[in-house]
Amino acid sequence: MDALAGLLDGPRAHGAFMIRACFDPPWAVRVEDEAPLTVMLMARGTAWITPDGDGVPVRLGLGDLAIARGPDAYTCGGEPDTVPQALILPGGECRYPDGTSLNGSMDLGLRTWGDRPDAATVMLIGTYLMRGEIHGRLLDALPPLLTLPAAVWDCPLTPLLAEEIVRDEPGQEVVLDRLLDLLLISALRVWFSRPESAAPAWYRALGDPVVGRALRLLQDDPAHPWTVAALAAKAGVSRAALARRFTGLVGEPPMSYLTGWRLALAADRLRDTDLTLDTIARHVGYGSAFALSTAFKRVYGVSPQEHRAGRAGRP
């Protein structure tokens, strides 16, 4: 598995929130839905996205794409200084800024919302509702907001998504889920190839002939009883050389990285599957459910059972 495939192996939308948002100026919507990841594609007109805090407003033109990483709030508008007329909350709830419910007053038909279907601005929006649908290491690799101008990526999915998002056919949710996954992966493949992507240290280290080999061994077979000596033998260097080089490039020792990787896999499987804790423990390299539970609570601050019970929240 190559470095990028390893990073992108994970987006699995399940009943993602998909909407065709249509607005006439002046317009602005504040998003506080706490979703882990939202993809926004400009199908008509222009828009500005302003992250909370010290975020600089970013302009999107026709064909441009933005990816917002939650849970931080942001505002979308026709101009960066337009006062929001609507508030998007967790669960797709929509309210006026004063807290009054919109009560469906902006619904325009199937997966269409806003002022009018033929408005000056149209955005195709797909939101991953649960953090478990996106691997934590991918989320950690992304900035709060990234954008791709149409000039650097020619996406053939735009017209297909625009057509499918308003269709009502058997299995349509599955079609839209897979289109969203493909759109996200296609965009991130381009973004990670750009120098401004600032990929995490472990991702950059995958390109190193020694450390990259060790990382792939750990990622591909986390259940193996790895030691630094065994990794060094596979990588063709001494134990001391591997430990020094690995720590220098990744930012932590090999066994520390392995622990984090095992627990991240366990966290995803707790959210995504109904496997027993004993089974998950064996899959990720722990000898028993007790051993996994102890390590999990030390790192995540909650037990595996509590983590699984809060599937819709953040770990």
Side-chain angles (χ1 to χ4, degrees):
M1 180 180 291
D2 64 56
L4 188 60
L7 188 64
L8 297 181
D9 181 30
R12 299 288 189 275
H14 299 288
F17 179 75
M18 302 287 291
I19 198 78
R20 181 176 180 264
C22 312
F23 302 109
D24 285 318
W27 68 274
V29 176
R30 179 166 171 78
V31 182
E32 297 181 358
D33 61 2
E34 300 180 6
L37 207 66
T38 297
V39 182
M40 293 164 276
L41 182 60
M42 292 302 303
R44 184 187 303 157
T46 62
W48 289 82
I49 302 179
T50 305
D52 263 16
D54 298 328
V56 177
V58 177
R59 182 183 183 276
L60 297 181
L62 181 63
D64 294 351
L65 177 139
I67 298 175
R69 188 200 69 200
D72 296 340
Y74 55 93
T75 299
C76 293
E79 297 292 341
D81 56 353
T82 303
V83 177
Q85 294 102 22
L87 180 65
I88 310 299
L89 298 171
E93 182 181 358
C94 302
R95 294 184 176 272
Y96 290 107
D98 65 3
T100 306
S101 176
L102 278 168
N103 293 323
S105 61
M106 296 182 71
D107 291 347
L108 300 172
L110 184 63
R111 303 187 193 91
T112 305
W113 185 80
D115 296 323
R116 59 188 178 93
D118 293 328
T121 300
V122 176
M123 300 178 73
L124 308 179
I125 302 171
T127 299
Y128 289 85
L129 300 175
M130 295 174 59
R131 184 175 170 90
E133 295 171 346
I134 304 285
H135 282 321
R137 65 191 183 116
L138 175 55
L139 291 174
D140 292 342
L142 302 178
L145 178 68
L146 70 87
T147 59
L148 280 177
V152 303
W153 84 309
D154 182 16
C155 182
L157 296 174
T158 304
L160 180 59
L161 183 59
E163 178 182 341
E164 292 290 341
I165 203 169
V166 293
R167 294 186 67 181
D168 187 16
E169 302 287 344
Q172 193 65 21
E173 279 198 358
V174 176
V175 171
L176 291 174
D177 283 347
R178 297 293 76 79
L179 276 175
L180 177 58
D181 290 340
L182 186 56
L183 179 66
L184 174 64
I185 291 171
S186 298
L188 291 180
R189 184 170 61 180
V190 174
W191 187 76
F192 272 106
S193 71
R194 298 172 64 79
E196 66 268 27
S197 66
W202 67 262
Y203 177 82
R204 297 192 302 271
L206 280 166
D208 183 83
V210 173
V211 177
R213 169 70 172 157
L215 276 168
R216 279 185 284 272
L217 288 168
L218 296 178
Q219 291 179 358
D220 291 346
D221 192 6
H224 186 80
W226 292 110
T227 63
V228 176
L231 285 172
K234 292 282 188 179
V237 295
S238 70
R239 176 178 173 177
L242 175 64
R244 182 172 58 251
R245 192 161 175 169
F246 193 105
T247 303
L249 290 178
V250 179
E252 60 182 330
M255 294 300 99
S256 175
Y257 175 87
L258 177 59
T259 296
W261 177 232
R262 284 171 168 170
L263 293 177
L265 290 175
D268 282 340
R269 290 177 186 179
L270 284 164
R271 288 190 182 277
D272 297 343
T273 75
D274 292 320
L275 294 174
T276 67
L277 192 57
D278 268 320
T279 300
I280 293 174
R282 292 195 301 272
H283 285 179
V284 302
Y286 282 89
S288 67
F290 177 78
L292 172 59
S293 184
T294 300
F296 195 94
K297 189 165 186 177
R298 183 175 63 250
V299 172
Y300 282 79
V302 296
S303 70
Q305 292 82 359
E306 291 169 328
H307 180 81
R308 170 169 272 171
R311 291 185 183 196
R314 288 172 58 84

